[in-house]
Amino acid sequence: MKKFLAFFLPIVGAIYLSAYIRSAVLDVVYTDYIRIINTYLHNPFSPEPYFGKDALTRLPVTFFERAINVKFFNYSTMFDMSLGIIFLAMMGIVIGLFAAKKNLKVGYIILVMMVVFSLSQWEMLTNGTGWVHFFTFFLFALNFYILDSYIQKESGFKLVLNILLPVFTIIMAAGSYSLAYGATLICAYIFYAFLKKKKRGVLLCIPVAMALALFMYSYMNADNVNAGATSDSIVTVFGRDPLYFLYFGLNTFASDVVSVELVKYFEINVIGTGILGAVIILFYLDALYMNFRYKIYEDTIFPLLLVVSGLFSHTMVILTRWIFLDPMYAMSSRYSLQFGAGLIGVILTFAYIKRKVKGPGRKKPAPIKIPLISNIGIFVFVILVFAGNVLTAGNEIRMAKYRMESFEKKVKVAKNFEYESDETLKTVLQYHSPKKTRDALRLIKSKKLNIFSE
């Protein structure tokens, strides 16, 4: 039954997100697509842009997908979005198979799937360029699942996969996510070396470290532009507003259960989101504690890997995105996917605790009593995640018609770009350079792609 749910629920989730996309989005290029068109679509079948020093920041796997999209789908943003949903469903299947294997309660499996297919990711879902991010997190989940299986029962095939998969993921698809992912794997390999007393664990760090070094070299040679970011130093900003960094960090955790759209809708102030963020941090710490207190890692390391990767993702966003000087920017929908991994890890940890845990001296998994306060905490956590997800879904479904109206305007402006004002192009198509927007639209018009393919 639970193995059936591992496949059935992700399929239902994919249908659900597809229906949302159809109700809220039209097939039109805007925002990040403008940059991509100007950079790659002059000759979409040429790999030349990937021969430079910044190649890994360009996410090489996108070259192949883009070529397929142009050749067979006339550069359809809807194709990109559909691909993203497919990879999200595949990630859901991996997590579902783990839950079924560990015989977790159905309620927790459903809660996990609600997070996987949450509409808090609407920004990534409706911007087709996000497909590669969903692909990346599917690879993360798959790698963690295989690593968990390898630690429990070693084999040569699994060993080879644990060497090749991280290297492929970092070099071909992960981009800046590589740092949190790589750090998680290195921690896991070192932990494995001490846990199993295997020197091989330390050796597994080498290919990951080498791939990370290649990515960092590529990143340092890339032209990274953050429109709207401050040029002030962190010391200057801290001196001007010491509490800013505290609220920014807390808001990244608050966004795990409450979207920024809900914050605006219910007019929750920064103190409210800060308190919520602090509560979520406590749940993360509790999940870490339980993984070690009850030695869950002896039976599975999968939930722990997700929790740690989520914490690293939060850290990376705090360290790199404070520059936008807006505490609410930390709650942006674009970060929901990477934060979701940590939240799923916490849910799986609590779900495992509520089932059975291997106790000291026991040969087989057996039930274990946890303190009443822990039971209450888990109940509160489940209610928070469930309520936040339902409210977010309800709000996004309500917003779908307004997003559709926005896309209808995008189509109209994009088709009429030659006669629209710079301000209109900048506002409606959401790209900072009207000139580059015109260049991009002129290019796809000449090639009869996307909105000009009809």
Side-chain angles (χ1 to χ4, degrees):
M1 172 62 179
K2 290 177 181 177
K3 285 186 178 179
F4 169 75
L5 288 178
F7 289 92
F8 176 72
L9 291 178
I11 291 173
V12 171
I15 294 172
Y16 162 64
L17 292 184
S18 297
Y20 169 76
I21 290 296
R22 293 293 175 181
S23 68
V25 180
L26 291 175
D27 198 336
V28 57
V29 295
Y30 74 111
T31 190
D32 291 342
Y33 276 104
I34 304 302
R35 173 183 56 80
I36 291 171
I37 291 168
N38 284 321
T39 306
Y40 302 106
L41 257 64
H42 288 279
N43 188 355
F45 307 108
S46 170
E48 185 178 351
Y50 296 91
F51 295 149
K53 294 180 179 180
D54 64 344
L56 301 193
T57 64
R58 295 172 180 262
L59 312 181
V61 73
T62 60
F63 164 71
F64 302 100
E65 189 274 347
R66 189 180 306 112
I68 292 170
N69 195 350
V70 171
K71 178 67 175 180
F72 299 104
F73 300 96
N74 295 316
Y75 200 51
S76 166
T77 63
M78 198 65 74
F79 170 76
D80 289 346
M81 286 179 260
S82 299
L83 200 59
I85 291 172
I86 289 171
F87 285 121
L88 193 61
M90 291 172 68
M91 183 178 80
I93 289 172
V94 171
I95 296 170
L97 286 173
F98 167 81
K101 180 181 177 182
K102 297 304 177 184
N103 198 29
L104 303 185
K105 293 181 178 179
V106 172
Y108 284 101
I109 296 176
I110 293 173
L111 187 64
V112 165
M113 292 303 168
M114 289 178 70
V115 174
V116 172
F117 296 99
S118 174
L119 285 180
S120 63
Q121 305 166 110
W122 70 267
E123 190 173 355
M124 196 77 78
L125 288 166
T126 59
N127 184 341
T129 61
W131 78 266
V132 69
H133 304 298
F134 293 116
F135 175 60
T136 296
F137 276 84
F138 157 65
L139 292 178
F140 289 173
L142 181 63
N143 191 183
F144 292 162
Y145 185 88
I146 293 172
L147 177 58
D148 179 45
S149 178
Y150 173 74
I151 290 175
Q152 302 309 319
K153 188 177 181 180
E154 298 178 1
S155 75
F157 178 67
K158 293 176 188 176
L159 176 62
V160 171
L161 285 179
N162 277 297
I163 294 172
L164 297 181
L165 190 54
V167 173
F168 171 84
T169 302
I170 292 171
I171 289 178
M172 296 298 292
S176 58
Y177 297 132
S178 297
L179 300 178
Y181 168 62
T184 301
L185 287 178
I186 289 172
C187 289
Y189 293 149
I190 293 173
F191 181 71
Y192 162 69
F194 281 100
L195 180 67
K196 300 287 187 178
K197 294 181 172 57
K198 296 283 184 77
K199 293 181 180 179
R200 183 181 297 166
V202 177
L203 295 177
L204 283 170
C205 295
I206 296 175
V208 174
M210 291 177 65
L212 283 175
L214 284 173
F215 171 75
M216 288 307 300
Y217 172 78
S218 189
Y219 182 82
M220 288 187 293
N221 284 280
D223 183 18
N224 297 301
V225 178
N226 291 307
T230 183
S231 58
D232 293 339
S233 69
I234 190 171
V235 175
T236 301
V237 174
F238 181 81
R240 188 166 60 234
D241 185 6
L243 291 179
Y244 166 70
F245 293 96
L246 174 64
Y247 283 125
F248 191 93
L250 291 174
N251 279 356
T252 67
F253 285 93
S255 69
D256 279 9
V257 294
V258 178
S259 67
V260 69
E261 285 75 22
L262 282 181
V263 170
K264 293 175 181 177
Y265 184 77
F266 290 109
E267 297 181 350
I268 304 173
N269 60 30
V270 72
I271 295 176
T273 56
I275 292 172
L276 178 60
V279 171
I280 300 303
I281 289 174
L282 291 177
F283 286 123
Y284 268 85
L285 295 176
D286 193 31
L288 283 175
Y289 168 77
M290 287 183 173
N291 269 283
F292 290 99
R293 168 65 179 82
Y294 300 113
K295 297 184 178 181
I296 296 175
Y297 59 79
E298 290 185 351
D299 185 44
T300 175
I301 199 175
F302 188 71
L304 183 59
L305 289 172
L306 291 171
V307 172
V308 172
S309 70
L311 288 172
F312 276 131
S313 291
H314 279 283
T315 302
M316 290 305 302
V317 170
I318 293 168
L319 292 176
T320 61
R321 297 300 162 185
W322 66 267
I323 56 178
F324 292 99
L325 301 184
D326 180 4
M328 291 302 166
Y329 187 87
M331 303 184 74
S332 174
S333 172
R334 69 189 64 187
Y335 304 122
S336 180
L337 175 63
Q338 61 197 98
F339 294 163
L343 190 63
I344 291 169
V346 175
I347 296 171
L348 292 177
T349 299
F350 291 162
Y352 193 90
I353 284 290
K354 296 294 285 186
R355 183 196 65 116
K356 52 184 64 175
V357 181
K358 186 183 290 185
R362 294 189 176 103
K363 293 183 180 180
K364 294 182 179 180
I368 190 170
K369 290 184 178 180
I370 60 176
L372 177 61
I373 187 68
S374 294
N375 273 309
I376 294 173
I378 291 173
F379 176 77
V380 171
F381 173 79
V382 168
I383 293 300
L384 273 176
V385 175
F386 179 80
N389 198 283
V390 170
L391 288 172
T392 296
N395 186 62
E396 283 307 316
I397 290 171
R398 178 185 66 83
M399 289 293 295
K401 65 177 182 180
Y402 300 111
R403 300 202 192 286
M404 177 58 77
E405 290 173 1
S406 172
F407 272 88
E408 287 171 349
K409 189 172 184 180
K410 286 178 174 61
V411 171
K412 182 179 178 180
V413 169
K415 286 185 173 181
N416 196 48
F417 75 93
E418 294 158 315
Y419 308 101
E420 299 287 353
S421 68
D422 285 355
E423 188 60 35
T424 298
L425 287 176
K426 186 176 179 180
T427 302
V428 176
L429 298 182
Q430 301 172 16
Y431 195 73
H432 62 88
S433 171
K435 179 184 181 301
K436 290 184 178 179
T437 300
R438 293 183 194 280
D439 290 342
L441 293 172
R442 192 175 294 114
L443 178 59
I444 62 171
K445 184 177 182 179
S446 68
K447 291 178 176 288
K448 296 182 180 181
L449 298 174
N450 196 248
I451 54 171
F452 300 106
S453 63
E454 300 174 356

